[in-house]
Amino acid sequence: AQKITQTQPGMFVQEKEAVTLDCTYDTSDPSYGLFWYKQPSSGEMIFLIYQGSYDQQNATEGRYSLNFQKARKSANLVISASQLGDSAMYFCAMREGSSNTGKLIFGQGTTLQVKP
Amino acid sequence: DGGITQSPKYLFRKEGQNVTLSCEQNLNHDAMYWYRQDPGQGLRLIYYSQIVNDFQKGDIAEGYSVSREKKESFPLTVTSAQKNPTAFYLCASSAGTGGAVGNGYTFGSGTRLTVV
């Protein structure tokens, strides 16, 4: 069954350093999309980055990059040069191409705290 | 600007009361979703709708009801049968429900429901 696993409930990082948030997934569908969302304490969910299963290159969006290792079924989010405003909960999610519902499957989230 | 509007931002419910959470989108998205989030936890799917006048139960539908009379609107009613309704509720929409794996969610800003 499709599943997303985020094994780090909480992470700390020093301001200006890079941090990697782990995400592994499980699917038998060859076509799928992987998403990362950020949820600050205010609660809204902010889309960060997307990676398609057939994309040849790892996705990047500003300070965010996705370390996509297809054979290992991992899609780790890398945040470079951490800022205090990066303190939030981060969710990894997956959408399968064979799904006719469009549902995203979410992981349990990782809470990131950036220390000054 | 297109987006999803959830209201109210905060809602207080007395024991035994039904309350309705509003979710409206002007993105012309076909699919809409309701999630529940408990403190420090991930998202759990309550109901979703892929088309007007049709909706399906998610993983935790008991004690909740929805309607989809218009494409733009997907209200969620928390009934008195829901014994532990205190939570953060997020509404989301997505452009398509087919094999387009790149279609992620656009989220509303959420409603915090508290039983008093």
Side-chain angles (χ1 to χ4, degrees):
Chain A
Q2 65 273 21
K3 188 177 178 181
I4 294 282
T5 303
Q6 294 180 253
T7 57
Q8 307 152 312
M11 292 274 290
F12 288 93
V13 65
Q14 204 67 37
E15 191 179 9
K16 299 180 185 177
E17 291 185 351
V19 62
T20 297
L21 305 184
D22 294 341
C23 173
T24 57
Y25 58 92
D26 186 20
T27 180
S28 57
D29 197 326
S31 176
Y32 52 89
L34 297 158
F35 303 80
W36 277 92
Y37 288 86
K38 172 184 177 181
Q39 187 181 41
S41 57
S42 54
E44 77 269 29
M45 295 282 278
I46 302 166
F47 166 74
L48 295 178
I49 197 166
Y50 163 78
Q51 178 87 43
S53 59
Y54 293 119
D55 293 344
Q56 294 297 314
Q57 305 221 352
N58 286 348
T60 60
E61 290 285 350
R63 294 186 300 111
Y64 304 109
S65 61
L66 204 152
N67 183 3
F68 181 45
Q69 298 187 44
K70 196 169 182 178
R72 297 180 61 185
K73 293 189 174 179
S74 74
N76 299 339
L77 177 70
V78 181
I79 305 175
S80 62
S82 296
Q83 301 172 356
L84 296 178
D86 293 333
S87 294
M89 198 159 185
Y90 290 81
F91 290 96
C92 179
M94 176 176 68
R95 176 172 176 165
E96 293 179 313
S98 60
S99 168
N100 63 357
T101 67
K103 288 189 293 182
L104 293 188
I105 309 299
F106 287 88
Q108 286 299 103
T110 294
T111 299
L112 176 67
Q113 293 192 38
V114 180
K115 295 181 177 180
Chain B
D1 279 344
I4 298 185
T5 302
Q6 286 188 244
S7 62
K9 191 172 179 69
Y10 299 94
L11 186 57
F12 298 90
R13 191 195 95 167
K14 293 182 180 179
E15 296 277 356
Q17 250 185 356
N18 290 358
V19 291
T20 298
L21 284 60
S22 171
C23 178
E24 303 275 335
Q25 55 102 354
N26 60 4
L27 299 164
N28 200 33
H29 283 174
D30 290 314
M32 297 186 74
Y33 310 83
W34 273 106
Y35 286 87
R36 170 181 171 140
Q37 185 179 27
D38 293 287
Q41 302 298 311
L43 280 67
R44 292 187 289 169
L45 182 63
I46 305 172
Y47 268 99
Y48 63 100
S49 169
Q50 299 169 256
I51 196 169
V52 174
N53 292 323
D54 189 38
F55 48 83
Q56 286 79 39
K57 293 181 179 180
D59 301 317
I60 56 163
E62 186 174 350
Y64 300 97
S65 66
V66 293
S67 64
R68 186 87 186 274
E69 297 176 2
K70 298 186 299 181
K71 188 175 186 178
E72 301 80 20
S73 179
F74 191 41
L76 173 74
T77 297
V78 184
T79 74
S80 57
Q82 172 50 240
K83 297 306 177 189
N84 185 22
T86 294
F88 185 59
Y89 292 86
L90 279 162
C91 179
S93 71
S94 178
T97 57
V101 295
N103 288 333
Y105 287 173
T106 300
F107 283 90
S109 56
T111 294
R112 292 192 188 275
L113 174 62
T114 304
V115 174
V116 295

